[in-house]
Amino acid sequence: MTFRFDRRRWLQSVGLLGFFGSWIISEKSRSEELPATEGGGFTSSILNPAKVQDTRFAPRLSNGQVVQPAREVPIISRTQVLVVGAGPAGVAAAVAARRAGAQVTLVERYGHFGGLWTGGLVLLVLGHIVTGGKQVCMGIGEEMLRRLEKLPGGIINRKPGQNPTVDAEALKYVMVEMIEEANVEVFLHSWAVDAILEEEGVRGVVFESKSGRQAIVADVVVDATGDGDIFAAAGAEFEHRSHNIGLVSRIGGIDKIDKERAAKTPPPRRLGGPTPAPGVNWVNLTGPEADGLDVRVLTRLELAHRKFIWQHLQKIRQLPGYESLFLLETAPQLGVRITRVLKGLATVRYADLKSGRRFDDVVAVGGSTNGQHGEWQVPYGALVPQKVDNILAAGRCISAEMQMADLVRLIPNCFATGHAAGVAAAVAALDRVRPRDVDVRKVQKILKEQGAYLG
Amino acid sequence: MERFQIFMNLKIRFRLTRRGWRHFVRGIVLVFALSIVVFGIGRGCWWGTLPSGISPLLAFAKWRTSGWEAVVALGAFLGLISLWRKRWFCRWICPLGTCNELVSRAGKKVGLPGQSAWPVGQILGTAIGLTIAAGTPLLLWLDPLAIFGSGWQATTVAGVGGTALFLPLLVAFAFSFFGVGLWCRGLCPLGGLQKVGHGLFKFLGASLQRVVFRSMRFGKQEVPAADVTGAGGPSNPFDYRAEFTAAKIPRRIIVGMAAGSLWSFVPWWSSLAPRRHLRPPGAPPSELRFLSLCVRCGNCLRVCPAGILVPDLSWASWSGLAAPVVLFKQEMCPPSCLQCGKVCPTGAIELKQIPDKFERPIGRAVVEGEICLLADERECGFCRAHCPTQAIRLQFTEETYSVLPVVNPARCTGCGACEIGCPVEPRKAIRVVPCPSP
């Protein structure tokens, strides 16, 4: 049989070749198209087979001193309002500023929103009610609590005149929802380390992340770091205070306590308070008074607290009836209460709380832990540093007397000051004025439109 | 011209006699005193301590405790005049005397007979004077100006109970009405002391005169003492001149001195009177000394800007009746305030400078760990934040791994800031309690 390569055979060959060839090519090209960082399935990919990092600017040890050469920091974003820290104050500030019409970037050191509220497991919301059970924290904080109400297991004890307890995971979910709805640019895992200065004012922050040292340039910066890291770096005057540093934990198995046998012994302390999760309590820890800016202190307390919490729970478990208890988790974040407090143009004063003083430039109203006293007002000046421009403080680090610091740092009051700082920053950025020259009437008007209570 | 005539007539009509002048001065003093005690005029000024401050007796007490002050000088000046002019203070100044005279006139009009006076006032006055010198006065509150002011303390307290504070005033009026001037003539210790003092002054003056006289008429016949003073023998049993010139001390003065001396031993027992109440800052640590110095004039109650001072109206502790007690409800004792010490006429509240608040505190803060929120690991620490002297520390204990407020007694003035700041209701977890007696 002779091989005849006629037209028919030729067409068949070309067809087969074309089919297999295209298949091979497409397979090959698909493997090339896969995004570099997410890898393909269970395999990892080599992104750069022989990379050597540039060490020209690495710190050098010379003469016993570590010195870092001057270098240019890459700018990864330019924005109008930059909010540093995504705790209650930061999230409220970011959402408020975005809703007021500014372009907003939010930088957060941890991988979640909520700060000590979620990461610190401070689940009890204290500080939003005043005498007679009236609620004073409204606006974005109240919106967050209302969203939590709609989630199963999101919040308990949500009644007028009571302090509710929230679920940290539900809260993280709600905050992501709100930040995404508002369309805020977010950088997580980014630890702001320095302020960028231009003449008298702050023009952004430098932050460290796995991507190295990068910068964000902004018109106005809101310092919601809690520790006042940014205004301190910018040279604003502040008071350095010590406070008790604790660590919150959650214990499970509360619902399985054998009540009959447990009744024989006096109930142990540190069983904490209920949370939305069934059978789970959150347990506070006051801890010793210490400097929350000292890394050795933070390390020592983190280790000591965690050890104590574990050992103490084992002791409780040995009591009859309490065998079911187990340590669910210790909080990812150490409970630092107060560190730096700004010295602002105005100060939140105890005498003003007592006298019920009202300010013309009120931008936030705070409450009490249990309704034992009336509301107190935060003047706009308490958010503004005395000398440095283009930066506003929000949250626990605003300008306040010692007596008031324990009220200012409570979650709802952080919401209120964060909300105010966000709106004021947006107004300053959009009107192209310094924060100290902002039209406070306009800020108050926007705050009221956004549902805030101003007395 | 006619107008001038009328004016002249008026002037003539209002020309004051010596007696008229006296009434004029007394009237002004009375109005001034009433406006201070009733309406609180002069609050915060040095003369806010008036009217009680003008009493020479109280000025002596204040000098004994606190040394010289403007008010002390005023009281001493008035007292010196009274030595020279018999009972000058009673007749020209004393607002209670003015009131009593009006009441006595009413009594006379009704037709009540006057009572002969016992020398009770002189005994009392001597005893009080002596015990002031010893440091723990006896019955100092019987001073007429203290009585005049005390009733008006009622204006600082709500309710009917306070009106009982008018009781001493009413008793004095009753003596004046039914005895027609009996209070001023016989019972008032300040009047009595003036009599004794004036007698002593005259006696000394006469002795001096006699010495000078004798030296001038050297070698001549000695002049009988009675002739010098011109009394002409002890015809009047209450004539001071007669008795002093007889070169013997009257019995009433001896009785008064004896009573005073006996009382001076009492402070040894002062530890037997434990402090049950919080007293104003600057009050001496000894409760007995405080209660004996305090004349219940009510100056401190009226001046206190925080309104934390109230008169003690619990009849159970009768010895401290109507004395000021500190009550912390809404307000604390302001750290830089020295008002109550400034207006105290006797130095019962010896408060001249801020360190006095640490030396003689209102009380000391104590913590009840059982109900403290921190013991239950709940967010708190308000007491430490509110303490104006940084006396409170939140002490961490490794064994319990918990925190409790600890008060440094050396830094605590008992100002009550922590007690007011404490959120635990109704029984506060940190409270100011009286210091133990020395």
Side-chain angles (χ1 to χ4, degrees), chain A residues 270 286 289 305 337 354, chain B residues 330 377 379 384 400-401:
Chain A
R270 295 175 197 278
T286 310
E289 184 183 330
H305 286 350
R337 288 175 170 88
K354 296 278 283 183
Chain B
Q330 298 291 322
E377 294 295 343
E379 276 306 294
R384 180 191 58 173
T400 58
Y401 217 77

Side-chain angles (χ1 to χ4, degrees), chain A residues 172-193:
Chain A
K172 287 177 190 169
Y173 178 81
V174 162
M175 286 179 155
V176 171
E177 203 176 64
M178 287 176 73
I179 291 284
E180 281 184 348
E181 277 172 22
N183 194 17
V184 173
E185 184 187 28
V186 178
F187 291 96
L188 295 179
H189 302 290
S190 302
W191 191 321
V193 290

Side-chain angles (χ1 to χ4, degrees), chain A residues 243-246 286-290 300-301 305 337, chain B residues 394-396 401 403:
Chain A
H243 208 299
N244 300 79
I245 298 178
T286 310
E289 184 183 330
R300 177 170 59 81
L301 291 180
H305 286 350
R337 288 175 170 88
Chain B
L394 297 189
Q395 194 172 2
F396 180 77
Y401 217 77
V403 159

Side-chain angles (χ1 to χ4, degrees), chain A residues 85-350:
Chain A
V91 170
V95 172
R98 189 76 192 93
R99 288 183 185 172
Q103 190 190 339
V104 181
T105 302
L106 180 61
V107 178
E108 164 59 33
R109 145 191 178 185
Y110 292 102
H112 58 81
F113 298 134
L116 277 166
W117 198 8
T118 55
L121 289 176
V122 184
L123 302 179
L124 180 66
V125 181
L126 279 176
H128 64 322
I129 49 175
V130 294
T131 346
K134 180 187 166 195
Q135 186 177 333
V136 290
C137 175
M138 304 301 276
I140 288 171
E142 173 64 10
E143 181 185 332
M144 223 170 273
L145 296 183
R146 282 190 189 148
R147 284 181 184 230
L148 276 177
E149 276 177 49
K150 297 199 182 106
L151 300 181
I155 188 165
I156 55 167
N157 295 335
R158 174 96 171 122
K159 290 169 210 145
Q162 277 203 25
N163 293 318
T165 306
V166 300
D167 183 74
E169 291 308 319
L171 197 55
K172 287 177 190 169
Y173 178 81
V174 162
M175 286 179 155
V176 171
E177 203 176 64
M178 287 176 73
I179 291 284
E180 281 184 348
E181 277 172 22
N183 194 17
V184 173
E185 184 187 28
V186 178
F187 291 96
L188 295 179
H189 302 290
S190 302
W191 191 321
V193 290
D194 225 334
I196 302 168
L197 302 180
E198 186 187 56
E199 290 169 5
E200 288 293 291
V202 181
R203 284 305 312 279
V205 297
V206 172
F207 63 94
E208 293 279 1
S209 70
K210 286 290 166 189
S211 304
R213 180 171 276 241
Q214 290 167 309
I216 299 177
V217 174
D219 294 338
V220 181
V221 176
V222 175
D223 185 346
T225 55
D227 292 326
D229 290 337
I230 308 304
F231 67 63
E237 203 179 343
F238 61 87
E239 199 169 274
H240 181 179
R241 296 177 185 163
S242 65
H243 208 299
N244 300 79
I245 298 178
L247 183 66
V248 181
S249 56
R250 288 202 293 170
I251 49 177
I254 297 284
D255 49 349
K256 295 200 176 65
I257 292 174
D258 186 342
K259 282 180 187 136
E260 274 181 34
R261 288 172 58 226
K264 287 171 192 161
T265 50
R269 283 199 154 168
R270 295 175 197 278
L271 280 184
T275 67
V280 175
N281 273 12
W282 78 284
V283 189
N284 194 16
L285 179 75
T286 310
E289 184 183 330
D291 177 7
L293 297 178
D294 185 340
V295 69
R296 288 180 190 280
V297 167
L298 297 177
T299 307
R300 177 170 59 81
L301 291 180
E302 179 96 42
L303 298 178
H305 286 350
R306 195 163 286 130
K307 186 174 159 191
F308 166 78
I309 290 167
W310 176 267
Q311 289 175 348
H312 184 72
L313 190 71
Q314 301 316 309
K315 275 184 205 158
I316 295 181
R317 277 166 59 107
Q318 283 162 12
L319 297 172
Y322 291 95
E323 298 84 354
S324 64
L325 297 187
F326 60 94
L327 183 61
L328 188 61
E329 60 174 336
T330 53
Q333 276 178 248
L334 193 62
V336 177
R337 288 175 170 88
I338 293 279
T339 50
R340 295 191 192 95
V341 173
L342 178 72
K343 284 197 173 166
L345 293 176
T347 301
V348 181
R349 292 184 194 283
Y350 181 62

Side-chain angles (χ1 to χ4, degrees), chain A residues 138-139 358 360 362-363 419 423 441-455:
Chain A
M138 304 301 276
R358 301 169 76 87
D360 282 342
V362 56
V363 287
H419 194 169
V423 170
R441 300 257 167 267
K442 193 171 171 187
V443 174
Q444 288 169 333
K445 188 169 157 272
I446 297 175
L447 278 170
K448 279 181 186 162
E449 280 166 12
Q450 294 189 358
Y453 171 75
L454 295 181

Side-chain angles (χ1 to χ4, degrees), chain B residues 76-157:
Chain B
F77 175 67
L78 298 177
L80 283 176
I81 296 180
S82 302
L83 283 184
W84 176 48
R85 312 284 297 173
K86 186 186 173 190
R87 289 185 65 209
W88 179 85
F89 186 86
C90 303
R91 291 180 295 117
W92 282 75
I93 305 289
C94 184
L96 184 69
T98 314
C99 297
N100 275 333
E101 195 168 316
L102 293 172
V103 172
S104 304
R105 279 189 189 179
K108 213 182 251 177
K109 231 170 219 176
V110 172
L112 289 167
Q115 300 287 323
S116 59
W118 274 55
V120 178
Q122 296 181 45
I123 298 176
L124 279 175
T126 312
I128 293 175
L130 195 77
T131 48
I132 289 174
T136 308
L138 164 79
L139 299 175
L140 190 60
W141 57 271
L142 280 174
D143 180 275
L145 284 133
I147 288 179
F148 181 77
S150 67
W152 305 100
Q153 290 181 51
T155 57
T156 63
V157 282

